Amino acid sequence: MFLINGCEQNLLAASDRATQFGDGCFTTARIIDGEVCLIAAHLKRLQDACQKLLIAFEQWSELQNEMKMLAQGHARGVLKVIISRGSGGRGYSGANCYAATRILSVSAYPAHYDCWRERGITLALSPVRLGRNPLLAGLKHLNRLEQVLIRSHLEQTDADEALVLDSEGWVTECCAANLFWRKGHVVYTPRLDQAGVNGIMRQFCIRMLAQSPFNIVERYVGLEEVMQADEIVVCNALMPVIPVRACGDTQLSSRLLFDFLAPLCEHPN
């Protein structure tokens, strides 16, 4: 079911700038027992994105109520929220866009994540590199063509997920997940001030690690350093955290970091 500006419908105006230019942002949240996990963090992500994209959206209380309403009755599920600048303007200009569009939908929880958590996943290096743009880095905006291409190439391999570099060769993220790797008691994650998505679960894991015996470090690194890790995990708001059993030809068996994060991420608040 889709809820567009508070009404149940499946039709969006062809003039909406989400379809014309990918002019908007979105977030994807996990539903557990009728509640939206980390709902405050998802709302803040949308608020921050709207502010950076100069989208005038003010219906935050209505949006929060709709998110909670759609989650009710679902033991497990996926809630997606899109905010676009709406319709109007001439060409790229949004000067005459007077009402933003909000789109909410609920879908089934991806069943394969349960299997991934048990057996671990494999990563393959993607030939598609992310463009560096500090203005948009970190945001989950509607322009996802890079991820579409990454996914298309991934589907030509036997790997479960892609390891993605930016245009300068720095390790950045996966196709649909963020990345952490451990060397001893130091946990690393890529800096995302030039490219990539600063995921909700990534932010949660960083907070948890900052209060743990592990040292958490954000930095630019090349592929060689990640391949020397004792352990790699990936995360997103739905997974929420998955161990990596192989990265290319490198086999990984340790689950020290995964065992620490997994119970914390299962029911985050």
Side-chain angles (χ1 to χ4, degrees):
M1 179 184 74
F2 287 90
L3 200 64
I4 301 178
N5 292 332
C7 299
E8 287 189 33
Q9 55 182 312
N10 293 316
L11 300 178
L12 182 69
S15 59
D16 195 281
R17 291 173 66 91
T19 60
Q20 293 286 333
F21 305 112
D23 187 1
C25 56
F26 73 104
T27 195
T28 308
R30 186 165 53 125
I31 298 171
I32 298 180
D33 296 331
E35 295 186 352
V36 182
C37 293
L38 296 171
I39 187 171
H42 283 285
L43 285 165
K44 186 177 187 304
R45 158 189 265 180
L46 293 169
Q47 290 167 347
D48 291 345
C50 284
Q51 182 178 17
K52 289 184 179 180
L53 296 174
L54 305 179
I55 294 175
F57 182 82
E58 298 180 356
Q59 291 77 39
W60 296 110
S61 62
E62 292 93 333
L63 176 59
Q64 181 172 341
N65 290 337
E66 290 167 356
M67 292 172 70
K68 292 181 177 180
M69 178 193 70
L70 287 183
Q72 292 175 2
H74 296 276
R76 293 209 302 178
V78 177
L79 173 68
K80 185 172 184 179
V81 180
I82 298 172
I83 298 177
S84 88
R85 199 179 303 274
S87 297
R90 164 65 181 86
Y92 290 129
S93 174
N96 292 320
C97 293
Y98 299 113
T101 303
R102 65 186 187 274
I103 306 167
L104 294 85
S105 61
V106 174
S107 57
Y109 183 78
H112 65 275
Y113 283 160
D114 294 331
C115 179
W116 280 11
R117 275 193 295 275
E118 290 296 321
R119 65 174 176 83
I121 64 169
T122 57
L123 301 182
L125 181 64
S126 178
V128 180
R129 296 195 174 189
L130 299 173
R132 290 163 67 89
N133 185 340
L135 185 64
L136 297 177
L139 300 184
K140 201 162 186 177
H141 51 72
L142 293 179
N143 292 268
R144 296 289 108 195
L145 280 178
E146 290 175 325
Q147 282 68 35
V148 170
L149 288 173
I150 291 166
R151 182 68 186 181
S152 296
H153 283 278
L154 176 62
E155 289 172 348
Q156 299 175 31
T157 75
D158 294 327
D160 299 305
E161 248 288 7
L163 183 64
V164 184
L165 312 181
D166 70 11
S167 56
E168 296 297 315
W170 301 121
V171 173
T172 305
E173 59 187 6
C174 297
C175 178
N178 288 118
L179 185 75
F180 290 86
W181 65 96
R182 179 183 61 81
K183 189 71 174 177
H185 286 282
V186 182
V187 177
Y188 300 92
T189 193
R191 286 184 58 179
L192 300 179
D193 57 342
Q194 298 295 316
V197 173
N198 184 14
I200 296 297
M201 190 51 59
R202 175 184 185 269
Q203 297 172 36
F204 179 81
C205 287
I206 288 174
R207 292 199 301 272
M208 295 301 100
L209 289 165
Q211 304 167 24
S212 78
F214 295 103
N215 294 321
I216 175 68
V217 178
E218 298 180 64
R219 60 183 294 187
Y220 300 126
V221 301
L223 180 62
E224 298 78 9
E225 182 169 334
V226 176
M227 299 299 283
Q228 296 171 7
D230 297 327
E231 181 183 4
I232 302 174
V233 301
V234 302
C235 68
N236 67 28
L238 304 181
M239 289 175 171
V241 60
I242 303 286
V244 174
R245 74 172 191 270
C247 184
D249 295 329
T250 301
Q251 302 296 312
L252 299 152
S253 59
S254 175
R255 290 199 174 189
L256 182 66
L257 178 60
F258 172 77
D259 288 341
F260 171 77
L261 289 174
L264 298 174
C265 296
E266 187 58 32
H267 294 280
N269 51 47

